[in-house]
Amino acid sequence: MSQFKSLRRRIVVAYLLFAAVASLFFAIIAAVAVEGIEVKLVDERLEEVAAWASPRQAGGLPVEMPAGLSFFHDAEIPQSLRGLPQGANEITVDGVDLHVLAGRDPAGNYVVVDHASAYEKIELVVYSMFAVGFAGFLVSSLMFGAFIGNSVVRPIMDLATAVQARRTDLPQQDSPDELGILARAFAARTTELTEVLDRERFFTGDVSHELRTPLTVISGAAEVIMAQAPGNPAIQAASERIYRAARDASDSVTVLLRLARSPEQLEATPVSMAALAADECARSQPLVGNKPLSVRYAGGADFTVTAPRELMIAAVGNLVRNACLYTLEGEVLVMLQDRSLFVEDTGPGLPPAARARVLHEAAPVGASGSSGTGLGLGLVQRICAYLGASLHYSERPGGGSVFEIRFPHI
């Protein structure tokens, strides 16, 4: 099963990613703006001072600089400021940050020094404010994303919980948004499925009750015939077949009645699978008749299943009886292994339509019905689903079928 991916987490991550990308975008714009302002406020100011002071220096006029600015020409340039590349420079001298404009005029080299510029401190303040804003934006996005995630996901989880609990009064049905549409669709579908299941359960129960009386009459009549015709083998054999068929039909009716009830309404008892498999093999011996066919229980590690006993008998018995009825020669083998019961036969195998049904595949084109499986296989599938077990089918090497009822591990 794929790993659960929380919608709430994805919403929060989306908000955080948006906040990070937006903050990075504005940080780049801010850095470009700050650097541009530095050029305007510092570098161009130094160039203006140099353009004013250099001609005055060349003309022998006094050069009086504003406070915090110095102009040095040729031999007057301090040693620490010599050899700088042409243009604006940011250097540190004796622990002091300086903005220095180095240039050259016809009379020689010059430098203009800004001693009092506080722009570096301004830059630090600006970048600190952006860092605080970035962190605040991320925290706000995290909180807002969590709020939006909870607002969106909590109603969905409430709806899912109500559906899993099979509640009829689903929440959010009065909501005017898309969630209300979803809740109303769930409610309508749940009501429809409930009605279908109720109709099926009532129909199964009613039909089963109606069949009990005629089956009882048929069984009684067959017993009377068997008792009155002990010397006529043909009548005796026919009456025994009628009696067995009526008894099997009565057992199927009983199973249908059990399946029509809720699982919690049935009494579950521990059932030994070894004893049950051996009993069903013995009960199926009369079905072999004169066919060159043997039915045997091959043993295996016994295990216990806690379930309604009549359903367990019906599941195993139907598989064994089907194998006996549709296998003409060879053997029907029943064995246990790793909390699974196997019924293996040397018969013709399942027809395409029945095979597709058991394997939950699409029926082949032109295939119809379930010939070769009878009512038994359908009952086994329903019983397995009812008990939480699973029915599996595979082809036997050399021809035949292998059915497996796989019970969950405790």
Side-chain angles (χ1 to χ4, degrees), residues 82-161:
R82 294 183 179 184
L84 295 176
Q86 299 289 316
N89 298 273
E90 295 182 18
I91 64 173
T92 301
V93 178
D94 297 332
V96 179
D97 294 329
L98 301 176
H99 281 81
V100 180
L101 177 67
R104 184 177 180 83
D105 57 20
N109 295 325
Y110 66 84
V111 294
V112 181
V113 183
D114 184 357
H115 300 271
S117 176
Y119 196 76
E120 297 297 332
K121 296 181 180 179
I122 295 175
E123 279 187 331
L124 181 60
V125 172
V126 171
Y127 286 131
S128 299
M129 292 178 62
F130 270 105
V132 173
F134 175 71
F137 191 28
L138 286 180
V139 173
S140 300
S141 299
L142 177 62
M143 297 175 62
F144 188 63
F147 172 75
I148 295 297
N150 289 331
S151 300
V152 172
V153 175
R154 184 180 293 111
I156 296 177
M157 293 304 297
D158 292 341
L159 180 60
T161 302

Side-chain angles (χ1 to χ4, degrees), residues 9-67:
R9 186 181 299 112
R10 282 187 280 178
I11 292 175
V12 172
V13 171
Y15 269 93
L16 284 177
L17 288 177
F18 171 76
V21 172
S23 298
L24 179 61
F25 175 73
F26 286 113
I28 294 174
I29 294 178
V32 173
V34 169
E35 295 300 325
I37 293 173
E38 180 179 8
V39 172
K40 290 291 184 181
L41 292 182
V42 180
D43 298 348
E44 291 186 2
R45 176 168 172 252
L46 294 179
E47 291 176 358
E48 291 175 358
V49 170
W52 173 81
S54 180
R56 294 181 66 83
Q57 178 73 24
L61 299 176
V63 180
E64 296 180 358
M65 303 299 293

Side-chain angles (χ1 to χ4, degrees), residues 121-341:
K121 296 181 180 179
I122 295 175
E123 279 187 331
L124 181 60
V125 172
V126 171
Y127 286 131
S128 299
M129 292 178 62
F130 270 105
V132 173
F134 175 71
F137 191 28
L138 286 180
V139 173
S140 300
S141 299
L142 177 62
M143 297 175 62
F144 188 63
F147 172 75
I148 295 297
N150 289 331
S151 300
V152 172
V153 175
R154 184 180 293 111
I156 296 177
M157 293 304 297
D158 292 341
L159 180 60
T161 302
V163 171
Q164 291 177 345
R166 300 181 181 179
R167 287 171 45 190
T168 56
D169 55 333
L170 296 181
Q172 306 298 327
Q173 294 191 56
D174 297 331
S175 180
D177 55 12
E178 291 85 351
L179 189 59
I181 296 175
L182 179 63
R184 290 189 289 273
F186 268 127
R189 186 61 173 168
T190 301
T191 301
E192 179 182 351
L193 291 176
T194 301
E195 292 175 352
V196 171
L197 291 175
D198 287 342
R199 285 199 300 269
E200 179 185 356
R201 185 166 59 251
F202 293 148
F203 174 79
T204 302
D206 292 343
V207 170
S208 300
H209 278 296
E210 292 297 327
L211 288 176
R212 274 191 162 186
T213 299
L215 288 174
T216 302
V217 173
I218 294 173
S219 298
E223 289 179 347
V224 171
I225 295 175
M226 286 189 295
Q228 293 180 352
N232 192 326
I235 296 178
Q236 184 76 17
S239 60
E240 289 179 354
R241 289 188 60 189
I242 294 173
Y243 178 76
R244 283 198 302 270
R247 187 187 62 183
D248 291 342
S250 179
D251 292 341
S252 297
V253 167
T254 301
V255 171
L256 290 174
L257 283 173
R258 297 292 188 270
L259 293 176
R261 299 178 184 177
S262 299
E264 58 271 11
Q265 294 179 347
L266 297 180
E267 181 181 356
T269 58
V271 179
S272 169
M273 293 305 299
L276 179 60
D279 290 344
E280 291 306 311
C281 287
R283 286 182 58 191
S284 299
Q285 292 296 335
L287 299 176
V288 175
N290 296 324
K291 293 189 295 184
L293 177 67
S294 63
V295 182
R296 66 186 181 91
Y297 169 56
D302 188 19
F303 58 92
T304 301
V305 176
T306 302
R309 184 174 183 83
E310 61 272 20
L311 295 185
M312 296 294 299
I313 293 175
V316 177
N318 274 288
L319 284 182
V320 177
R321 282 194 295 274
N322 261 6
C324 293
L325 289 174
Y326 297 103
T327 303
L328 300 180
E329 60 180 358
E331 67 174 354
V332 174
L333 194 64
V334 182
M335 68 186 74
L336 304 178
Q337 181 180 352
D338 192 24
R339 290 193 66 81
S340 293
L341 179 137

